[in-house]
């Protein structure tokens, strides 16, 4: 079985958040970084399937600050391979572009399961998994909280989290992509000695952009950040959006948001 | 043992724990056995037997591995068992074996306890187990009166100072305990002693070492050793007995390079030299909780008592279990960060023992004993009957 | 290891009886419960299915009934300190810990105290001390050994029997759960011990064969005064003769009387920072209702000892000196084990007539056992009770099988000597490792007698099976 896990680092937002001068991103220059929490759960899931049923676990990351560190971590945690897609750090890549880069690498490799963390600690977008599944044209299930079973017939039964404490259980045919929620397991701790030693024992597979068969002429962000603002903390006001159908409610919601000046 | 591979470590541990003669006398002094359900393995030789068979029968997978982890990480590392074993049996360094096994479990990615993972991450990232920003470590000084800061040199770079006060993570970040460093500063001020505080102080590494992260401990050790030496320190005075123990016993050769004192030792010396004179005596009944890492681990029993006897005279009453027989507060060994089984809370047992001898104040000399016992007073509903004070607070108040 | 489904089945049934936090299927609890005091490994077929900790006798009764119904053995192991390995299971079964039965109650108006079987001996002693009473028990394992186990054994420990007898002599009643689940209460609330059939006697020293003790009633005894004496002999035969005299001349018996051969004493003295003794040492404690009474006893004993020309014989008035002397005996074992080897000792008991000859035999205990003859050995013991503990250091490098053989050889030799002197052990019980001895000593008829009792009371042989059959 082949499992691919998408991994990245995020800045640790433990104190007051400052924006860059253009107010388009968080000023992360002085912030410490660690592996995105959700990704750790995804990695742990892959490693446990490997331990129980046997699998090859490949970690993949689109190179930016800390990607190398993150990939070495995965190798130290007993992943079998780690792939770094090299890129210019300064250039802005939105989540579509990141998904596209990963797609370009893994679409020519064998995979049964692709695991991503549900979302990033920093942007909370939860986009890469869904986009990647769409690009690969494979089924995806989001917010997975438990793997019920993995069968030889090539399907996996998962439980995913809904609102209000509800969940549903689905059988998904592999190859499939799952985005993983925290709490699905207890991620292992990888000691500093292991992390140090792995650098002499294992190598990261580096793939330069030039090696990817991608149409770079059409490779632009589909989304850009206009401005980041810190929310004011004010007393809460609750208003229910009316509508008898989902479409009606959505239209009313868009109306309200336009009123508020967000569109 | 850091450079050894796991197989060699296992062989060494196996050799040591197989010396156990299974007399089980160690159970009589073990706080784990006293506070838990009392299942067969919940005692010192229960843990070493578990380690033995885990290695011999390869019980390091699945649920067995988790059970072993939970068992080994429930030890407070107080060392009562080692004292008993030395006195009455084979003299096995039981705690050392438990900690060595924790290292193996951690390297095998079976340990530590889930709640301790973020502690290790915080230690690595921010140099303290609380995850607080490292830049804010000395912010507590802003809440100290100007006049108490006169003697203090905050060492940022090339400054030199003979005596260093190693504040420790808990005193630096826990505002509830601010009176402890404040009191120590008052006493230093009274003694007219000049001393330094490292701007870039990091955790002494005790939590990392107890939890089994030897690599991380080494990083912290190197960092602190370099900073202490660069400041030209001849003496370091610690607030926490855990920092004291780290410097004295775990840091490579630090004790050969400078004098290491717990603040109770330092002030007891001053008392004996006549530099500290007690002006106001205390008339409340007090008793003293021997911190395990000061007493059992390092034999410092009398220095705190010298001070307390001066302050309280006949009002200082010993609990029945004192000195080497003292009951651990339950905070050591990494336990303070995790939920461990405690059917009878150690802190509450201890509070009751203090009440039994008529004490109105339990005096501690360790930030963790302070936190644990303060909790114990609250959870046992004894807030009207007894309070917890650090020795430094009483001493500062008596000058 | 037994199948997981069987463990599950037993666990599920136990859940109906005992709170589930007090049932453990953790492999480490199960192994530790089976380990006992032997330095060699437990075998996988000896690991219990579960460890259960009942909180009261009613829960215990349900467990026993279930065990009987399903024919699953029960092994009682609370502190696991039985020196003959009586707590090491013979086969898979249910391990029971009496740890939670730990209440002690003073019935001062009746002149008794009652304690549950899981009470720890030392804690009972401390509770009695606080009220000015005396616990007539002094096993070496008192820090952790339980009252239930100690009464099942009826051990003297350090105590010289002729002074205050055995702990069982002060037990006036027991509450016992029988192997079929019935509860019986034995004995009397009066101060006269029963004459004629006293069911208490079947369980005091019962070796864990006939019932599970849940509660013990013992007489409250007054606190005692102590006085101390010591003597040094240049040879062990004179020492033995001195003790013979003490008994023959009807001296009031000491409570404790220990001796150490010179080579052993030298080690102990050195650890305690005292100059080496000039010979083998003997030191003893006498008790009395008054200080004077205790002292008089010491004087009487010293007089008897002096007739055998010791190098020195004296009262010990300084309590610190006494504590040092006493602890030379206590530290010896721990010191010798510092190198990492296992100290093992036998319990050889002499009769009064042959004490000097037995002393020689004890000195040569390991010499004719090929496996053990080269080991470092030392001799000490409760000489006042005519008991010798020849001990040897077993190398830790020996594998499990060799260590087992060593222990078996030790018991075989012990048997030889106790048969020779027509005696039996007074500390560790019979059976388990001593079943062969029992048969030799009391004959097949004696053995069948006990087997018959066992068959009647425990027809399914579910209570500690293997103890009577002999050891594993």
């Amino acid at each position: 079985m082949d499992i691919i896990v998408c991994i990245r680092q995020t800045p640790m937002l433990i104190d007051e958040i400052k924006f860059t001068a253009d107010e388009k991103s968080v000023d992360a220059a002085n912030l410490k970084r660690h592996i995105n929490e959700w990704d750790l759960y995804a990695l742990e899931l892959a490693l446990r399937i490997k331990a129980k049923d046997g699998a090859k676990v490949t970690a993949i990351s689109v190179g930016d600050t800390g990607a190398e560190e993150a990939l070495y971590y995965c190798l130290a945690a007993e992943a079998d391979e780690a792939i770094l897609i090299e890129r210019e750090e300064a250039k802005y890549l939105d989540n579509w572009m990141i998904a596209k880069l990963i797609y370009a690498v893994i679409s020519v490799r064998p995979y049964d399961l692709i695991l991503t963390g549900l979302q990033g600690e920093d942007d909370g977008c939860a986009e890469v998994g869904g986009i990647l599944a769409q690009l690969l044209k494979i089924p995806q299930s989001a917010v997975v909280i438990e793997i019920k079973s993995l069968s030889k017939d090539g399907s996996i039964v998962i439980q995913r989290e809904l609102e209000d404490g509800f969940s549903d259980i689905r059988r998904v045919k592999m190859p499939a992509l799952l985005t993983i929620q925290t709490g699905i397991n207890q991620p292992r701790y990888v000691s500093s000695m292991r992390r140090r030693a792995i650098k002499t024992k294992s190598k990261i597979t580096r793939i330069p952009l030039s090696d990817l068969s991608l149409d770079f002429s059409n490779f632009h962000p589909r989304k850009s950040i206009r401005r980041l603002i810190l929310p004011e903390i004010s007393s809460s006001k609750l208003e229910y959006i009316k509508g008898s159908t989902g479409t009606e409610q959505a239209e009313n919601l868009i109306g309200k948001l336009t009123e508020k000046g967000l569109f | 043992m850091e450079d050894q591979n796991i197989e060699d470590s296992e062989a060494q541990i196996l050799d040591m724990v197989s010396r156990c003669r299974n007399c089980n006398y160690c159970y009589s002094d073990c706080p784990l056995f006293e506070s838990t359900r009392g299942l067969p393995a919940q005692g010192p030789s229960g843990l070493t037997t578990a380690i033995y068979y885990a290695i011999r029968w390869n019980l390091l997978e699945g649920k067995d591995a988790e059970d072993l982890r939970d068992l080994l990480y429930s030890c407070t590392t107080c060392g009562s068992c080692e004292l008993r074993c030395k006195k009455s049996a084979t003299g096995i360094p039981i705690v050392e074996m438990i900690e060595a096994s924790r290292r193996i479990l951690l390297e095998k990615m079976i340990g530590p306890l889930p709640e301790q993972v973020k502690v290790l991450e915080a230690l690595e990232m921010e140099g303290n187990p609380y995850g607080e920003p490292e830049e804010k470590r000395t912010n507590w000084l802003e809440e100290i009166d100007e006049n108490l800061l006169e003697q203090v040199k905050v060492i940022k770079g090339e400054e030199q100072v003979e005596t260093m006060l190693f504040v420790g993570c808990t005193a630096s970040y826990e505002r509830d305990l601010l009176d402890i460093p404040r009191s120590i500063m008052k006493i230093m001020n009274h003694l007219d002693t000049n001393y330094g505080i490292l701007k870039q102080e990091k955790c002494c590494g005790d939590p990392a070492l107890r939890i089994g992260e030897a690599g991380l401990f080494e990083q912290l050790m190197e960092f602190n050793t370099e900073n202490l030496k660069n400041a030209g320190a001849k003496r370091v005075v610690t607030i926490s007995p855990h920092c004291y123990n780290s410097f004295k016993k775990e840091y490579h050769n630090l004790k050969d390079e400078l004098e290491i004192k717990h603040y109770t030792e330092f002030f007891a010396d001053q008392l004996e030299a006549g530099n500290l004179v007690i002006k106001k005596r205390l008339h409340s009944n007090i008793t003293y909780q021997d911190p395990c890492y000061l007493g059992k681990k390092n034999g410092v029993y009398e220095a705190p008592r010298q001070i307390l006897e001066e302050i309280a005279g006949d009002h200082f009453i010993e609990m029945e279990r004192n000195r080497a027989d003292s009951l651990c507060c339950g905070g050591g060994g990494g336990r303070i960060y995790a939920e461990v089984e405690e059917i009878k809370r150690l802190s509450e047992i201890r509070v009751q023992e203090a009440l039994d001898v008529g004490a109105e104040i339990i005096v501690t000399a360790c930030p963790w004993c302070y936190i644990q016992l303060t909790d114990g007073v609250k959870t046992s509903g004894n807030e009207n009957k007894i309070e917890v004070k650090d020795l430094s607070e009483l001493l500062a108040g008596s000058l | 290891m037994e199948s997981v489904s069987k463990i599950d089945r037993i666990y599920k049934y136990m859940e109906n009886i005992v709170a589930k936090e007090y049932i453990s299927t953790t492999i480490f609890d199960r192994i530790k419960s089976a380990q006992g005091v032997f330095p060699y490994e437990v075998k996988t077929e000896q690991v219990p299915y579960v460890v259960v900790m009942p909180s009261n006798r009613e829960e215990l009764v349900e467990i026993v009934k279930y065990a009987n119904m399903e024919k699953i053995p029960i092994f009682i192991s609370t502190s696991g300190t039985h020196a003959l390995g009586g707590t090491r299971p013979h086969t898979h079964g249910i391990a029971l810990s009496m740890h939670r039965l730990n209440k002690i109650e003073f019935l001062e108006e009746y002149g008794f105290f009652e304690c549950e079987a899981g009470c720890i001996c030392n804690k009972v002693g401390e509770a009695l001390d606080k009220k000015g009473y005396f616990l007539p028990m002094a096993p070496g394992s008192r820090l952790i050994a339980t009252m239930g186990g100690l009464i099942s054994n009826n051990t003297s420990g350090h105590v010289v029997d002729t002074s205050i007898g055995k702990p069982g002599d002060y037990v006036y009643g027991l509450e016992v759960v029988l192997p079929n689940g019935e509860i019986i209460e034995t004995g009397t609330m009066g101060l006269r011990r029963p004459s004629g059939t006293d069911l208490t006697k079947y369980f005091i020293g019962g070796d864990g064969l006939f019932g599970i003790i849940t509660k013990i009633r013992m007489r409250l005894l007054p606190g005692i005064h102590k006085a101390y004496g010591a003597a040094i002999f240049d040879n062990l035969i004179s020492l033995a003769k001195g003790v013979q005299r003490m008994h023959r001349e009807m001296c009031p018996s000491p409570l404790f009387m220990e001796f150490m051969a010179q080579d052993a004493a030298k080690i102990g003295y050195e650890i305690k920072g005292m100059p080496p003794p000039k010979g083998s040492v003997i030191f003893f404690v006498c008790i009395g209702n008054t200080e004077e009474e205790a002292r008089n006893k010491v004087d009487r004993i010293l007089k008897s000892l002096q007739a055998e020309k010791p190098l020195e014989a004296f009262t010990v008035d300084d309590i610190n000196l006494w504590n040092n002397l006493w602890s030379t005996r206590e530290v010896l074992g721990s010191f010798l084990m510092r190198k990492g080897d296992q100290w093992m000792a036998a319990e050889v008991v002499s009769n009064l007539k042959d004490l000097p000859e037995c002393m020689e035999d004890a000195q040569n205990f390991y010499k004719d056992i090929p496996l053990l003859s080269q080991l470092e050995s030392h001799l000490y013991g409760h000489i006042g009770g005519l008991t010798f503990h020849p001990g040897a250091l077993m190398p830790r490098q020996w594998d499990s099988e060799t260590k087992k053989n060593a222990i078996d050889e030790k018991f075989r030799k012990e048997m030889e000597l106790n048969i020779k002197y027509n005696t039996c052990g007074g500390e560790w019980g019979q059976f388990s490792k001593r079943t062969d001895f029992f048969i030799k000593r009391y004959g097949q008829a004696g053995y069948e007698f006990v087997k018959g009792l066992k068959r009647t009371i425990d027809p399914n042989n579910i209570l500690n099976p293997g103890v009577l059959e002999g050891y594993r």
Side-chain angles (χ1 to χ4, degrees), chain A residues 5-6 36 38-39 42 115-120 126 129 178-181:
Chain A
V5 185
C6 303
N36 182 40
W38 276 270
D39 298 352
L115 305 179
T116 76
L118 167 63
Q119 63 192 39
L178 308 175
T179 81
I180 305 300
Q181 174 62 296

Side-chain angles (χ1 to χ4, degrees), chain B residues 15 18-22 24-25 27 33 37 39 41 45 52-53 56-57 64 84 86-87 89-90, chain C residues 21-22 26-29 31-32 35-36 38 41-42 53 79 99 140 143-144 334 337-338 340 342 396:
Chain B
D15 181 56
S18 61
R19 299 177 188 205
C20 177
R21 64 180 258 244
N22 300 303
N24 295 337
Y25 296 173
Y27 280 64
F33 191 61
R37 288 164 287 171
L39 285 166
S45 68
Y52 179 90
Y53 284 94
R56 286 279 295 149
W57 290 6
D64 289 341
R84 169 61 62 192
K86 203 164 171 193
K87 191 168 158 191
T90 25
Chain C
E21 309 83 78
Y22 291 100
T26 306
I27 187 66
F28 303 110
D29 283 319
I31 293 174
K32 177 63 178 169
Q35 177 68 43
F38 292 145
E41 287 181 16
V42 163
M53 297 173 68
S79 316
H99 181 69
L143 282 174
I144 191 68
S334 13
M337 288 189 279
R338 221 33 59 81
Q342 294 280 342
R396 76 175 181 286

Side-chain angles (χ1 to χ4, degrees), chain C residues 355-391:
Chain C
L355 189 63
E357 193 184 336
C358 189
M359 173 70 85
E360 270 200 70
D361 278 341
Q363 272 185 296
N364 298 323
F365 188 89
Y366 293 100
K367 292 220 168 78
D368 65 354
I369 308 172
L371 182 61
L372 309 174
S373 58
Q374 299 305 313
L375 301 180
E376 183 181 343
S377 72
H378 297 285
L379 183 61
Y380 56 90
H382 319 301
I383 192 70
L386 315 183
T387 305
F388 298 90
H389 284 312

Side-chain angles (χ1 to χ4, degrees), chain B residues 191-204:
Chain B
L191 285 167
D192 218 8
T193 305
N194 291 326
Y195 59 101
I197 289 177
L198 285 171
K199 173 93 182 120
Q200 283 194 302
E201 192 191 85
K202 278 197 186 177
C203 180
C204 67

Side-chain angles (χ1 to χ4, degrees), chain C residues 227-240:
Chain C
Y228 312 93
I232 304 182
F233 287 85
D234 66 6
N235 72 86
L236 283 171
I237 302 302
S238 300
L239 191 149

